[in-house]
Amino acid sequence: MVKKNWWKIVSLLLLIYTVVGGFLMDVPKLFILNETIRNLYFHVSMWFVMMILFGVSVVYSIKYLRGFNLRNDIYAVNYAAVGSFLGILGYTTGTIWANYTWVTDQSQTLGSILKEPKLIGAAIALLIYGAYFVLRGSFTDMDKRARISAVYNIFAFAMLFPSIWIIPRLVGSLHPGAPGSDSGNPALNFKDIDSRLRMVFYPAIIGWTLLAVWIATLKIRIQLLKDKSLLNE
Amino acid sequence: MLSTQKILALFKKDVLLEFRQKHTFYGILLYIASTVFVLYLSMDNPELNVWNALFWVIQLFICVNAVAKSFLQESKGRMLYFYSISSPVEFIVAKILYNLLLMVLMSLLSLFLFSVFMGNPVNNTWKFAGIVLIGGASISMVFSIMSAIAAKAQQNAALVAILGFPVILPLLMLLMRLSKAAFNEVFKDGALFELIGLIAGLDVLIILLAIILFPYLWKD
């Protein structure tokens, strides 16, 4: 566990900068997007951090299988839980964004929005982690629960990867980054993201990541205290 | 280390078991026949996209029914016996092979029944049969592992569906897209091979993960 607290202060400062700078600083005026582009700092960051936390969760699952230390299982499950929460926040911020661009300005129907490959990929992610928690709930034996759910976590993450990173690149999409549009990786490509956006976007990702890790560590610490008698160390 | 002989013996055991306990095998056959018949009664000659969607959804449910029991049927004592005579990798490879064979048979059978009852909108039957083979094999591999996980949770087959459906979705999306190639939809140059390559890559990934992860599931 990280005992130092400088990174918590960094997280706070970066997020204050994100919110203040995100709403006040100059952004490029684009057709349809207009000022909604500021949502980039919130919506895209949520997905970024979700994927990072799922990745961390898988790493701890692998670590669990290597040493069977229950501590790693607690880490894995809490990172997955916070990741899922961020996924829900990503949907929420996405809904707001879609409301002002796809619905009002492009007059897309709900049907075409729900068929968005990125939305489907994200839904698969949330379903997979939902199943992960259901699986955990069906065990009474702690060690067995940790072992089996670690296996599922690793396997599911490997299957999740193409649905989020590959399939949306193959099929048509309303999101940037689909084939046919000239952008590659949306918001990451140096050529298509405006430098004014980058000024806030990169600090925003770091800030949100640190905040999410902070939340996760708090949850982990509570869990570790609860299970103190079970963790023989 | 890996012995082909042991894998074949375990594989043969599963096939023999299927022949001895014919009721499960016929159960699945009846399941396919009655589902297709229900579909036939509710709609005959559906349009292309509907046909395609129905076909793959039915494949999914057949797989849940056919493959899910492969681990659930093994009793604790029998697992202990396997534990003493073979390595986990041999065991999972034999199981996957057997499920693959079962699912490929069932897929081809349901393709036949579909084209008899629901009309045949497929332009290129051989191509589609090939896609069905790849699809059935991929789905069966994923569900073999899900079944192994669910068996450890000592739960019913419902858990297989809960665990497996989100995991199978990306694969199923790719398969549905690929099968449009057999409906004479024109693909971009190279897009077809890209799709096949992606599915094959996923299959290899599934097998590798199964071999790496199964030893952890197996010990109790």
Side-chain angles (χ1 to χ4, degrees):
Chain A
M1 190 73 63
V2 193
K3 286 271 159 53
K4 297 196 173 64
N5 51 15
W6 59 268
W7 58 276
K8 291 172 186 168
I9 298 165
V10 170
S11 157
L12 210 64
L13 289 177
L14 283 175
L15 287 179
I16 290 170
Y17 169 70
T18 305
V19 173
V20 175
F23 282 114
L24 296 181
M25 278 161 73
D26 198 28
V27 291
K29 304 278 177 293
L30 294 172
F31 179 59
I32 291 180
L33 281 172
N34 294 320
E35 294 288 329
T36 62
I37 200 155
R38 296 180 191 278
N39 204 353
L40 172 81
Y41 311 137
F42 305 97
H43 172 67
V44 182
S45 320
M46 288 302 136
W47 297 117
F48 251 93
V49 182
M50 177 192 87
M51 227 35 224
I52 293 172
L53 289 204
F54 284 166
V56 172
S57 170
V58 169
V59 169
Y60 277 109
S61 281
I62 296 170
K63 273 177 93 169
Y64 176 79
L65 289 182
R66 287 178 69 90
F68 298 110
N69 184 352
L70 266 180
R71 191 177 258 272
N72 287 330
D73 178 56
I74 292 170
Y75 276 58
V77 65
N78 282 304
Y79 276 111
V82 178
S84 313
F85 176 66
L86 286 168
I88 295 166
L89 285 184
Y91 262 129
T92 322
T93 48
T95 324
I96 299 168
W97 203 347
N99 192 24
Y100 289 106
T101 50
W102 296 343
V103 178
T104 31
D105 285 356
Q106 287 189 337
S107 48
Q108 300 279 351
T109 57
L110 187 65
S112 67
I113 290 176
L114 289 180
K115 278 219 171 130
E116 258 298 289
K118 288 232 164 91
L119 253 72
I120 296 170
I124 293 174
L126 292 183
L127 280 176
I128 282 180
Y129 283 90
Y132 173 68
F133 293 117
V134 169
L135 178 69
R136 291 186 68 86
S138 65
F139 289 100
T140 44
D141 178 16
M142 274 185 82
D143 290 303
K144 207 169 166 187
R145 173 171 65 203
R147 192 157 41 84
I148 309 294
S149 62
V151 170
Y152 183 71
N153 195 4
I154 297 166
F155 190 78
F157 185 79
M159 296 297 284
L160 173 66
F161 205 81
S163 64
I164 286 192
W165 296 101
I166 301 175
I167 294 175
R169 306 280 189 281
L170 293 178
V171 289
S173 162
L174 295 166
H175 274 97
S181 71
D182 43 5
S183 55
N185 262 330
L188 260 189
N189 199 334
F190 278 103
K191 280 177 201 136
D192 68 34
I193 182 166
D194 194 280
S195 58
R196 280 170 288 176
L197 291 175
R198 252 185 278 159
M199 292 266 292
V200 184
F201 182 53
Y202 294 157
I205 294 177
I206 300 170
W208 288 118
T209 311
L210 290 178
L211 182 72
V213 172
W214 189 359
I215 297 171
T217 49
L218 286 179
K219 278 172 69 81
I220 290 164
R221 276 160 69 186
I222 294 170
Q223 194 65 43
L224 285 177
L225 283 176
K226 270 186 192 162
D227 294 346
K228 204 170 186 178
S229 55
L230 298 166
L231 300 162
N232 38 3
E233 19 186 84
Chain B
M1 281 285 64
L2 266 187
S3 104
T4 333
Q5 223 174 357
K6 273 187 190 169
I7 293 173
L8 280 179
L10 283 167
F11 176 73
K12 220 171 114 189
K13 174 229 80 167
D14 271 330
V15 176
L16 265 179
L17 215 61
E18 201 68 73
F19 272 107
R20 301 261 162 86
Q21 307 176 320
K22 285 202 182 73
H23 63 278
T24 51
F25 186 72
Y26 288 133
I28 303 164
L29 288 187
L30 204 60
Y31 182 86
I32 299 174
S34 47
T35 338
V36 176
F37 192 62
V38 167
L39 284 178
Y40 164 69
L41 289 181
S42 49
M43 57 197 309
D44 44 359
N45 288 323
E47 61 156 321
L48 254 173
N49 280 330
V50 179
W51 194 94
N52 191 21
L54 279 176
F55 181 78
W56 286 108
V57 171
I58 297 297
Q59 293 309 300
L60 194 62
F61 279 91
I62 292 170
C63 192
V64 171
N65 278 287
V67 174
K69 62 170 183 47
S70 67
F71 280 90
L72 298 176
Q73 74 178 7
E74 308 286 11
S75 66
K76 214 164 186 172
R78 215 190 304 171
M79 282 305 272
L80 197 67
Y81 174 61
F82 293 136
Y83 187 76
S84 63
I85 58 167
S86 75
S87 80
V89 177
E90 287 157 2
F91 188 72
I92 188 75
V93 170
K95 273 283 185 208
I96 285 179
L97 276 179
Y98 167 71
N99 285 334
L100 212 128
L101 177 77
L102 188 68
M103 193 57 206
V104 160
L105 275 179
M106 295 299 165
S107 296
L108 289 180
L109 185 77
S110 55
L111 176 62
F112 171 72
L113 283 177
F114 250 73
S115 47
V116 168
F117 280 101
M118 312 280 288
N120 192 359
V122 181
N123 291 82
N124 194 333
T125 313
W126 288 113
K127 212 184 219 171
F128 192 70
I131 296 167
V132 168
L133 287 184
I134 301 173
S138 319
I139 298 174
S140 77
M141 285 193 286
V142 172
F143 275 96
S144 304
I145 301 163
M146 290 306 136
S147 159
I149 292 177
K152 284 290 158 198
Q154 273 143 22
Q155 287 286 318
N156 41 24
L159 196 64
V160 180
I162 296 171
L163 295 179
F165 280 14
V167 173
I168 201 79
L169 264 172
L171 202 61
L172 211 61
M173 274 162 69
L174 290 174
L175 284 171
M176 282 187 188
R177 214 175 144 62
L178 181 64
S179 44
K180 290 196 176 141
F183 298 142
N184 272 6
E185 191 180 291
V186 181
F187 275 76
K188 232 178 5 190
D189 266 350
L192 200 60
F193 285 100
E194 206 176 78
L195 271 176
I196 295 174
L198 206 59
I199 294 173
L202 268 177
D203 284 353
V204 172
L205 186 76
I206 294 165
I207 295 175
L208 280 180
L209 279 175
I211 288 173
I212 295 169
L213 293 176
F214 188 70
Y216 294 103
L217 285 178
W218 152 276
K219 260 181 271 174
D220 246 339

